[in-house]
Amino acid sequence: MARRGMTNILLLGATSLITDLSSDMIMPLLPLFIASLGGGGVVVGLAGGLGDSLSSLLKVVSGRISDVIGRRKLLVLLGYLSSSVAKLLFPLAQSGYDVVAIRFFERMGKGIRTAPRDALVAAYSTESTRGKGFGIHRAMDTTGAVLGSVLALLLIWVFGFSMRTILLMAAIIGFFALLPLYFVEDVKTSPLSGSSRLALAGLSPQLKRLILATTLFALGNFSYMFFVLRASTLFSERLAIAVPIALYIVFNIVYALSTIPAGSLSDRIGRKRGLLVGYGLFFFTCVGFALFSSAWMLVPLFMLYGLSYGFIEPIERAYVSDLARSELRGTALGTFHASVGLATLPASLMAGFLWDAVSYSATFLWGACASFTAICALVLLVRDGGGQ
């Protein structure tokens, strides 16, 4: 990977780091904040899935627009800015459904920026280093999540700040993410001729099968909020807030530490094998959460949860990038993110329904079944390739 490309990946990583520092001061508090406002499992499911799902439509649109105009950075900037503005509304929420609405608008910014940003990361690397490139970006992104979660824990446990105050502080921090983004070099491609309408027919059959497998997995990859909520039920009073945040930190530390090795490993052994490892780890995570009720098991289970994400997140993006033509990479990544994102709504709604109507175990067994189905689809439908 050339030094110039690495510099730009690090700058994008810094932007993501600061954004996730802001976001993850909010995220571990959000299910607890919803519960404090009287929201139940279905409301948590809506907050975890609705924004990601509907805003995912923007990912394919923004990815396609970046291909059509031959520029990426402007859309990336717009996405980060709009998310920062939306976060200012969280402290004003008066009900769980207010949180659902605000999170929808905040996720729209993510929908605008994600595909063009990932197309930039892919352009700054080569196929033989793309897993490492995405691993570096995801590691910096998740490092911000660790720092944000630690800061939230300190502010609420040591300094005694209210959740609303922490939400406001997090929103202000988010605007600082725009500073490193200013120095990122745009990658210009030849603008696509013709209409700006989506050209999904231009995606290869192999890529479409991969997107199908990742979408099947996403149907069971419900919001992290249910893992945090499950941890909170095993404690009382202040520990019911502090311990879930601490476990969320454990999850993000393992996630951050594993993305670069996992991405680099996929450069050597192939994307398919690496992704199968990630899906398998998530399967065992869900089985563990379904079967074990001991508080002492939470630490290894959250570590396993983080390790699964360390494999899945960078390898999925690198795999899609490998199978897409460079001039359609924004469209391909947008289609992938949109398909996966749209699946998060039924995934989280199903998880919330099972949580309220059956039991927490049913929620996690749903995740295990979906990940097993995705493993079968990946083995049977997608050929080895990409990063080999």
Side-chain angles (χ1 to χ4, degrees):
M1 190 183 304
R3 178 177 296 181
R4 191 175 183 182
M6 176 62 74
T7 299
N8 281 285
I9 288 176
L10 291 175
L11 286 169
L12 281 174
T15 298
S16 293
L17 187 154
I18 298 170
T19 297
D20 260 42
L21 191 157
S22 166
S23 296
D24 279 78
M25 289 176 65
I26 297 172
M27 293 306 136
L29 293 178
L30 217 53
L32 311 177
F33 187 48
I34 291 171
S36 74
L37 296 173
V42 171
V43 180
V44 171
L46 280 171
L50 182 62
D52 283 328
S53 187
L54 297 182
S55 70
S56 292
L57 293 173
L58 286 175
K59 294 179 181 179
V60 66
V61 173
S62 65
R64 179 60 178 172
I65 290 173
S66 74
D67 287 338
V68 169
I69 66 177
R71 300 174 68 90
R72 318 282 193 193
K73 182 177 174 180
L74 179 62
L75 289 166
V76 176
L77 174 61
L78 179 61
Y80 279 110
L81 177 61
S82 58
S83 286
S84 297
V85 172
K87 287 175 185 174
L88 292 170
L89 300 176
F90 277 120
L92 305 177
Q94 298 299 315
S95 71
Y97 289 103
D98 288 345
V99 175
V100 172
I102 295 166
R103 181 161 166 80
F104 168 70
F105 288 110
E106 189 270 332
R107 293 287 90 181
M108 286 181 66
K110 186 176 179 67
I112 294 170
R113 69 180 182 256
T114 299
R117 184 203 61 207
D118 285 354
L120 285 176
V121 174
Y124 296 141
S125 55
T126 64
E127 185 172 336
S128 62
T129 63
R130 194 161 287 140
K132 180 180 179 181
F134 276 104
I136 291 170
H137 180 264
R138 300 314 299 166
M140 295 184 70
D141 181 284
T142 311
T143 297
V146 173
L147 295 175
S149 303
V150 169
L151 185 55
L153 180 60
L154 290 175
L155 290 173
I156 203 166
W157 181 259
V158 178
F159 298 102
F161 284 96
S162 69
M163 284 194 280
R164 291 186 188 274
T165 301
I166 296 172
L167 294 176
L168 177 59
M169 296 170 66
I172 294 171
I173 290 172
F175 286 94
F176 288 94
L178 302 177
L179 295 177
L181 184 59
Y182 174 81
F183 299 98
V184 171
E185 180 183 1
D186 202 357
V187 175
K188 298 180 181 179
T189 59
S190 299
L192 294 181
S193 60
S195 170
S196 62
R197 63 185 172 83
L198 303 184
L200 304 187
L203 305 183
S204 69
Q206 180 80 338
L207 177 54
K208 291 176 182 177
R209 288 193 289 269
L210 173 63
I211 292 174
L212 173 62
T214 60
T215 303
L216 289 172
F217 173 76
L219 286 170
N221 187 17
F222 43 77
S223 173
Y224 75 95
M225 293 185 188
F226 290 98
F227 296 89
V228 171
L229 200 60
R230 172 57 185 149
S232 72
T233 62
L234 298 178
F235 300 91
S236 59
E237 299 179 350
R238 293 180 70 194
L239 288 178
I241 296 177
V243 172
I245 295 175
L247 290 167
Y248 187 71
I249 293 169
V250 170
F251 157 75
N252 276 309
I253 288 174
V254 176
Y255 179 12
L257 291 176
S258 58
T259 52
I260 296 176
S264 298
L265 181 64
S266 77
D267 289 334
R268 297 194 299 272
I269 69 171
R271 311 289 185 221
K272 181 176 177 178
R273 294 184 184 92
L275 195 52
L276 285 171
V277 171
Y279 287 174
L281 290 170
F282 187 82
F283 170 83
F284 287 112
T285 298
C286 288
V287 170
F289 269 93
L291 298 182
F292 296 106
S293 58
S294 169
W296 296 107
M297 286 300 299
L298 289 174
V299 173
L301 285 175
F302 269 87
M303 292 177 69
L304 194 62
Y305 184 32
L307 187 60
S308 70
Y309 264 59
F311 273 83
I312 293 166
E313 287 288 309
I315 296 175
E316 281 186 339
R317 296 166 196 235
Y319 209 168
V320 171
S321 298
D322 289 345
L323 296 177
R325 304 201 312 267
S326 61
E327 69 274 15
L328 283 176
R329 193 165 283 146
T331 300
L333 285 162
T335 303
F336 156 70
H337 284 300
S339 184
V340 168
L342 286 171
T344 62
L345 179 57
S348 290
L349 284 178
M350 177 61 76
F353 171 77
L354 292 172
W355 186 283
D356 287 342
V358 185
S359 69
Y360 73 86
S361 293
T363 294
F364 294 112
L365 288 175
W366 165 257
C369 290
S371 57
F372 181 77
T373 302
I375 289 171
C376 293
L378 193 61
V379 169
L380 296 175
L381 300 179
V382 184
R383 296 193 308 271
D384 285 318
Q388 296 194 83

